[in-house]
């Protein structure tokens, strides 16, 4: 069903065959969506600006909305309704959207998009409507995404991308309102501070008005909307497991034992053992001395570095799916079986599990999209690994996992957190044979702050406003843990350290 609109007014409504339906269209768009959902509870509801109707790719619609928990839209222009200033409060990877691929984001557009009627009739039945449709769908996505709504920017909604007819962006007052009602209260103060520092503006009235608003608190239950994807991503239930290891012989043995008890056995277990000592030999005697119910590919190298080890392992993968493991994990015999079961429900190509230390308690209990990617507890459709690798720029430092996750997202592969699949991470003591890493910036007069690899990640994957926010928060948080207490001297010192980090990030790149 298609709802055609212009300037926050519904113009026409068509059925799936694009035959016009007689319907009262005087209400705001969001109200009409709910009315249509009640009348047509099994329908997918598509909205589209009048200017783009001829560009709707009707053949792609079933593929895009392959299960009922998907909310997808596409902004035809270069700007989203929620402006780039949202980067002053939101540091997530959902803000810098790659518009060339299907990309996970809560930033929605009224240009074209869709949602299933069942979601509006059940999960969002008590959700507040809004006269501004853009505000409404962004609010819906921002609240729903962390709780189990799958939200995307999807260019395939259109046959080709036309020229934008308008660039409707949120007003300053509405932005402050949105931040106060969708984030923790402190962020509206941070937003005001960023306006003053970076934009040289002081929106006092919007700020004061927002202070008295309350956050929208909605505990959404998506369990009534069954996850059943029409996309077939599992053709063979075959998986290879890769494990980099260094000096953890006994822990790795337990991992292999857990794998040997799986109800669906891995095809290959690829172990990359590292020992940088020149004449050292493998200590993993049980690999050949014991019989295992899977093939073990064991590589022993005289180099250290988890990026190098994982990339070598990835090059040896044969199966349709790849599991990225660690040498100090423990898990139940149905782990792989659970993985395939959940993959078939969501139809995605990348996923990650609950990953807690033995004494930790799980606090997040809803399967959802995630900004996190873990190199020790994630699985990937193997066809993707031909196009990605763990960047050696992050070797012996921070950021290789989250950068790898971003590479996958920029291929159009979303990452799903499965709340019911658990792996225990023992966080074993660091094994032997590790050498102390010395960074090339160790002799700098002003030591880089933050780490150049963190700076590199931020410059690559975050927006200008998000980087400005990161800098502001870093300067504030670090003040109490360093010796310079004169605030003016501190700012000068930190600016030099920030510039040093920028310089080294550029050199790394």
């Amino acid at each position: 069903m298609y709802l055609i609109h212009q300037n926050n007014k519904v113009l026409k409504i068509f059925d799936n065959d694009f035959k016009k339906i007689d319907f009262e269209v005087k209400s705001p768009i969001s109200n009409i969506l709910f009315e249509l959902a009640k009348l047509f509870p099994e329908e997918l509801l598509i909205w589209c600006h009048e200017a783009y109707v001829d560009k709707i790719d009707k053949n792609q619609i079933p593929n895009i909305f392959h299960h009922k928990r998907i909310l997808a839209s596409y902004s035809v222009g270069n700007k989203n309704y929620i402006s780039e200033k949202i980067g002053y409060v939101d540091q997530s990877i959902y803000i810098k959207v790659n518009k060339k691929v299907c990309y996970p984001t809560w930033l929605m557009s009224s240009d074209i998009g869709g949602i299933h009627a069942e979601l509006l009739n059940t999960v969002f039945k008590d959700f507040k409507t809004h006269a501004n449709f853009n505000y409404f769908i962004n609010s819906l996505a921002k609240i729903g995404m962390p709780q189990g709504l799958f939200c995307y920017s999807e260019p395939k909604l259109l046959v080709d991308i036309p020229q934008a007819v308008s660039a409707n962006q949120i007003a300053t007052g509405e932005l402050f309102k949105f931040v106060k009602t969708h984030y923790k209260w402190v962020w509206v103060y941070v937003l005001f501070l960023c306006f003053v520092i970076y934009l040289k503006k002081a929106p006092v009235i919007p700020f004061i008005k927002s202070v008295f608003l309350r956050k929208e608190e909605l505990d959404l239950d998506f369990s009534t909307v069954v996850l059943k994807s029409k996309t077939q991503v599992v053709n063979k239930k075959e998986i290879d497991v890769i494990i980099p290891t260094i000096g953890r012989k006994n822990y790795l043995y337990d991992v292999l034992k857990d794998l040997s008890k799986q109800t669906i056995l891995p095809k290959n277990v690829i172990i990359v053992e590292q020992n940088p000592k020149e004449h050292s030999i493998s200590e993993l005697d049980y690999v050949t001395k014991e019989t295992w119910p899977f093939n073990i590919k064991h590589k022993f190298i005289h180099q250290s570095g988890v990026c190098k080890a994982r990339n070598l392992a990835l090059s040896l993968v044969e199966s349709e799916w790849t599991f990225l493991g660690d040498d100090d994990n423990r898990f139940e015999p149905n782990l792989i079986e659970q993985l395939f079961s959940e993959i078939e429900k969501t139809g995605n190509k990348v996923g990650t599990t609950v990953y807690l230390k033995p004494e930790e308690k799980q606090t997040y209990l809803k399967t959802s999209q995630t900004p996190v990617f873990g190199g020790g507890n994630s699985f990937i459709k193997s066809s993707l690994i031909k196009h990605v690798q763990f960047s050696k720029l992050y070797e012996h430092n921070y950021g290789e996992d989250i950068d790898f996750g971003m590479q996958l997202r920029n291929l159009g592969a979303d990452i799903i957190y499965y709340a019911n699949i658990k792996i225990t991470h023992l966080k074993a003591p660091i094994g032997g044979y590790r050498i102390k890493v010395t960074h090339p910036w160790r002799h700098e007069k002003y030591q880089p702050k933050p780490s150049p690899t963190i700076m590199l990640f931020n410059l690559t994957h975050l927006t200008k406003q998000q980087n400005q926010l990161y800098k502001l928060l870093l300067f504030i948080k670090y003040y109490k843990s360093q010796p310079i207490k004169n605030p003016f001297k501190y700012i000068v010192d930190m600016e030099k350290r920030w510039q040093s980090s920028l310089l080294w990030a550029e050199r790394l790149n």
Side-chain angles (χ1 to χ4, degrees), residues 360-379:
E360 287 184 301
K361 185 177 180 181
Q362 183 178 353
T363 56
Y364 198 73
L365 305 172
K366 297 182 179 182
T367 291
S368 62
Q369 293 165 288
T370 178
V372 176
F373 180 86
N377 65 310
S378 298
F379 52 93

Side-chain angles (χ1 to χ4, degrees), residues 60-78:
Q60 286 291 344
I61 298 293
N63 301 326
I64 294 168
F65 298 92
H66 55 92
H67 63 70
K68 291 183 178 180
R69 293 194 203 173
I70 291 174
L71 167 62
S73 75
Y74 189 74
S75 177
V76 173
N78 293 323

Side-chain angles (χ1 to χ4, degrees), residues 304-329:
S304 64
V306 70
C307 296
K308 189 182 279 84
R310 285 177 179 155
N311 288 337
L312 173 57
L314 288 173
S315 71
L316 301 173
V317 167
E318 296 177 2
S319 295
E320 182 183 30
W321 288 86
T322 302
F323 186 83
L324 298 174
D326 210 346
D327 59 4
D328 59 347
N329 289 345

Side-chain angles (χ1 to χ4, degrees), residues 88 193-201 465 467-469 471-472:
Y88 290 139
L193 186 59
C194 286
F195 261 79
V196 172
I197 294 173
Y198 298 120
L199 302 178
K200 310 305 179 187
K201 296 179 180 179
Q465 291 76 17
N467 276 288
Q468 289 175 325
L469 172 64
K471 182 179 182 180
L472 175 63

